């Protein structure tokens, strides 16, 4: 059955508009995805009909909000196949999930220890570890990336030793589109007794995520990159870890009993959810994952791979074109440079033609240094993009390049 992309587009009213008098071609999905009406309605229904604070009310609305919030947690746990819904901690997004972990792992890192990250990390999964290493007099070790944009697994393997206290890598690179062999990485790290955090910010929208199959100890992601609103995300943390780690923030909800002198902390996951949570966001994230599930992640991936392949093939015909990121296992992200053309100029002209792409470092400045480039143009695809949009995009690139040369 062909992928029902036209029907899907009707769920995303924002796509149906003109920018600079041209039909919008939205190819900035790695930065944030658009939201379907089902998700928007879930959020507005919550505020129109249910709004109430969770976990502390005897009244009906509060009980309903609590029930729905916890149901969302269960749905999300099932979606990523967590062993238990208490392993799902709601956060603001990937950045907060990583910072949470970097805070609570403070005591786990001793002077002389090391943390391994890859050279293709987003700043969100790099700077928190860099800063933790500085605070603890530990070493941050960088796993190199080859010219194709693939991780050097031999290097990783060689560097794993008892001093290494964490491996933190992304599942899918937001710059290169590389799908990292996370299961293999986890196996290698676990064989050396090292826990692993996977930054799944780019993964949920494009590939199946099964945290038990991957074996990850921690897995972070953002709702807004998988058709949910901004300001909601998840840290999956294996129960055995989260039970023994200290709390992140202090306040309401995360406590059990409090006196002026002492406190005992709440059970998981509430120990990590101090203060009023983003209830509407959690319900909308549940709805977004159900939306993806109804279409089927394999079908989505297949559709996006067709777009990526077509776009790559067509761009390659342009003189001086250089694709950044040619990993064997790759999805949904197409970064490129054209000889003699500045990415910013190209991006600006594409915008004038209605095509929204992103230019620059993509929050991965060290990767750019590592690859000896100063930025790229990045087109990133989502389930609602069409082959016709790919044609408009590649024709626009050609037109813009000819204008700029
Ligand atoms: N990690 C990766 C791979 C990303 O692509 C991003 C965002 O682009 C992040 C982390 C940070 O996500 P957020 O800004 O939603 O916290």
């Amino acid at each position: 059955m062909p992928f029902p992309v036209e029907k899907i587009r009707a769920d995303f009213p924002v796509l149906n508009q003109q920018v600079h008098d041209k039909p919008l071609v939205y190819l900035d999905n790695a930065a944030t995805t658009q939201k379907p009406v089902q998700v928007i309605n879930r959020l507005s229904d919550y505020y129109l009909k249910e709004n109430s604070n969770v976990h502390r009310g005897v009244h009906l609305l509060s009980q309903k909000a609590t029930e729905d919030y916890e149901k969302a947690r269960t749905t999300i746990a099932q979606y990523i196949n967590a062993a238990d819904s208490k392993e799902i901690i709601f956060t603001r997004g990937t950045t907060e999930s990583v910072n949470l972990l970097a805070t609570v792992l403070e005591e786990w890192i001793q002077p002389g220890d090391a943390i391994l990250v890859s050279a293709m990390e987003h700043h969100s999964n790099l700077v928190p570890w860099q800063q933790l290493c500085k605070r603890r007099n530990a070493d941050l070790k960088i796993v190199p990336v080859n010219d194709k944009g693939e991780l050097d697994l031999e290097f990783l393997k060689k560097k794993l030793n008892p001093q290494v206290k964490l491996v933190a890598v992304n599942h899918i690179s937001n710059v290169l589109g590389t799908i990292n062999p996370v299961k293999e990485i986890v196996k290698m790290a676990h064989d050396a007794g090292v826990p692993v955090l996977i930054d799944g910010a780019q993964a949920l929208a494009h590939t199946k995520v099964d945290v038990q199959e991957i074996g990850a100890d921690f897995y972070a992601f953002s709702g807004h990159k998988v058709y949910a609103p901004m300001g909601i995300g998840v840290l999956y943390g294996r129960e055995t870890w989260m039970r023994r780690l200290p709390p992140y923030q202090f306040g309401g909800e995360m406590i059990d009993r409090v006196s002026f002198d002492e406190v005992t902390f709440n059970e998981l996951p509430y120990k990590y959810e101090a203060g009023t949570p983003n209830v509407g966001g959690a319900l909308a994230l549940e709805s977004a994952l159900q939306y993806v599930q109804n279409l089927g992640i394999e079908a989505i991936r297949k559709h996006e791979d067709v777009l990526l392949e077509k776009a790559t093939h067509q761009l390659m015909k342009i003189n001086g074109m250089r694709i950044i990121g040619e990993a064997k296992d790759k999805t949904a992200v197409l970064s490129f440079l054209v000889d003699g053309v500045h990415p910013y100029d190209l991006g600006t002209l594409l915008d004038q033609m209605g095509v929204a792409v992103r230019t620059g470092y993509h929050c991965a400045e060290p990767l750019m240094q590592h690859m000896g480039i100063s930025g790229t143009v990045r087109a990133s695809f989502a389930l609602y993009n069409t082959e016709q949009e790919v044609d408009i995009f590649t024709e626009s690139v050609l037109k813009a390049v000819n204008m700029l040369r």
Side-chain angles (χ1 to χ4, degrees):
M1 199 181 76
F3 194 68
V5 67
E6 287 309 327
K7 190 164 161 281
I8 288 168
R9 288 178 73 83
D11 291 336
F12 293 84
V14 71
L15 296 173
N16 186 20
Q17 64 173 299
Q18 306 245 319
V19 293
H20 307 297
D21 297 325
K22 304 279 176 357
L24 169 66
V25 175
Y26 185 78
L27 298 179
D28 194 19
N29 296 290
T32 199
T33 55
Q34 303 299 346
K35 326 302 174 199
V37 282
Q38 290 83 342
V39 169
I40 298 167
N41 289 344
R42 186 65 192 97
L43 186 63
S44 77
D45 271 0
Y46 169 71
Y47 283 111
L48 287 170
K49 300 176 196 158
E50 289 178 55
N51 177 52
S52 192
N53 212 333
V54 288
H55 295 144
R56 41 193 109 151
V58 288
H59 62 85
L60 190 77
L61 280 193
S62 173
Q63 285 171 10
K64 170 100 173 81
T66 305
E67 237 170 64
D68 285 357
Y69 182 61
E70 292 307 325
K71 184 169 92 45
R73 197 192 302 278
T74 303
T75 304
I76 293 161
Q78 286 166 352
Y79 188 85
I80 63 168
N81 195 29
D84 197 297
S85 65
K86 59 166 99 82
E87 297 182 319
I88 302 298
I89 297 160
F90 285 118
T91 64
R92 282 194 296 124
T94 309
T95 303
E96 190 183 31
S97 297
V98 177
N99 276 279
L100 186 165
L101 193 61
T103 305
V104 302
L105 283 179
E106 183 103 19
E107 296 293 320
W108 172 248
I109 310 294
Q110 297 299 320
D113 284 347
I115 293 176
L116 280 180
V117 299
S118 89
M120 65 167 89
E121 295 314 308
H122 187 281
H123 298 159
S124 297
N125 195 32
L126 170 68
V127 182
W129 305 119
Q130 177 197 72
Q131 293 302 306
L132 175 59
C133 285
K134 280 191 199 297
R135 290 198 299 277
R136 304 298 286 171
N137 269 325
D139 284 333
L140 185 71
K141 294 212 165 86
I142 311 296
V143 182
V145 171
N146 67 19
D147 289 347
K148 289 192 154 163
E150 294 162 334
L151 278 185
D152 185 341
L153 295 184
E154 279 308 305
F155 180 98
L156 174 70
K157 200 169 182 177
K158 266 194 236 139
K159 291 292 169 193
L160 287 166
N161 63 49
Q163 248 62 53
V164 177
K165 287 300 169 67
L166 183 75
V167 171
V169 292
N170 62 43
H171 194 161
I172 297 182
S173 161
N174 65 309
V175 179
L176 308 165
T178 307
I179 305 176
N180 284 313
V182 284
K183 193 173 163 182
E184 198 182 331
I185 291 169
V186 170
K187 164 105 183 43
M188 262 184 208
H190 282 183
D191 284 350
V194 180
V196 181
L197 161 69
I198 306 293
D199 166 0
Q202 295 294 336
L204 272 282
H206 307 296
T207 192
K208 180 180 146 203
V209 173
D210 179 331
V211 288
Q212 291 192 78
E213 194 191 335
I214 294 168
D217 301 273
F218 312 101
Y219 194 100
F221 65 94
S222 303
H224 73 98
K225 292 190 195 282
V226 58
Y227 312 105
M230 293 178 178
I232 186 75
V234 166
L235 175 66
Y236 157 83
R238 195 192 287 251
E239 185 180 350
T240 42
W241 271 104
M242 299 323 279
R243 215 176 254 296
R244 67 193 245 225
L245 290 172
Y248 167 49
Q249 292 177 328
F250 301 94
E253 199 62 44
M254 54 76 66
I255 46 80
D256 175 27
R257 302 297 309 269
V258 186
S259 74
F260 284 122
D261 300 315
E262 294 297 334
V263 61
T264 52
F265 301 123
N266 205 343
E267 60 195 27
L268 292 176
Y270 313 112
K271 175 176 147 189
Y272 290 102
E273 291 184 1
T276 298
N278 181 355
V279 179
L283 308 189
L285 175 55
E286 175 187 35
S287 165
L289 293 180
Q290 285 166 340
Y291 187 89
V292 169
Q293 198 159 34
N294 285 341
L295 290 172
I297 195 72
E298 279 85 14
I300 293 169
R301 169 86 195 272
K302 223 161 137 192
H303 170 71
E304 291 170 345
D305 281 352
V306 169
L307 302 180
L308 178 66
E309 207 169 300
K310 182 176 166 115
T312 307
H313 180 73
Q314 289 177 189
L315 281 192
M316 287 300 285
K317 292 183 193 154
I318 297 174
N319 215 347
M321 176 61 61
R322 181 175 162 205
I323 306 292
I324 308 294
E326 295 175 299
K328 212 161 76 225
D329 209 5
K330 173 179 177 180
T331 192
V333 173
L334 181 50
S335 270
F336 61 96
L337 286 170
V338 187
D339 284 349
V341 174
H342 195 284
Y344 179 82
D345 296 337
L346 184 50
T348 307
L349 275 185
L350 288 176
D351 175 54
Q352 293 298 315
M353 298 173 193
V355 181
V357 294
R358 194 151 286 252
T359 64
Y361 296 143
H362 317 297
C363 289
E365 197 175 342
L367 174 63
M368 301 294 152
Q369 292 158 2
H370 189 75
M371 298 191 96
I373 54 180
S374 60
T376 74
V377 181
R378 181 187 73 187
S380 48
F381 303 100
L383 51 79
Y384 40 65
N385 290 125
T386 65
E387 291 196 48
Q388 194 199 356
E389 286 184 316
V390 168
D391 289 334
I392 296 172
F393 160 62
T394 56
E395 282 157 20
S396 302
V397 173
L398 179 61
K399 227 185 282 173
V401 165
N402 286 337
M403 284 161 79
L404 289 164
R405 271 195 185 136

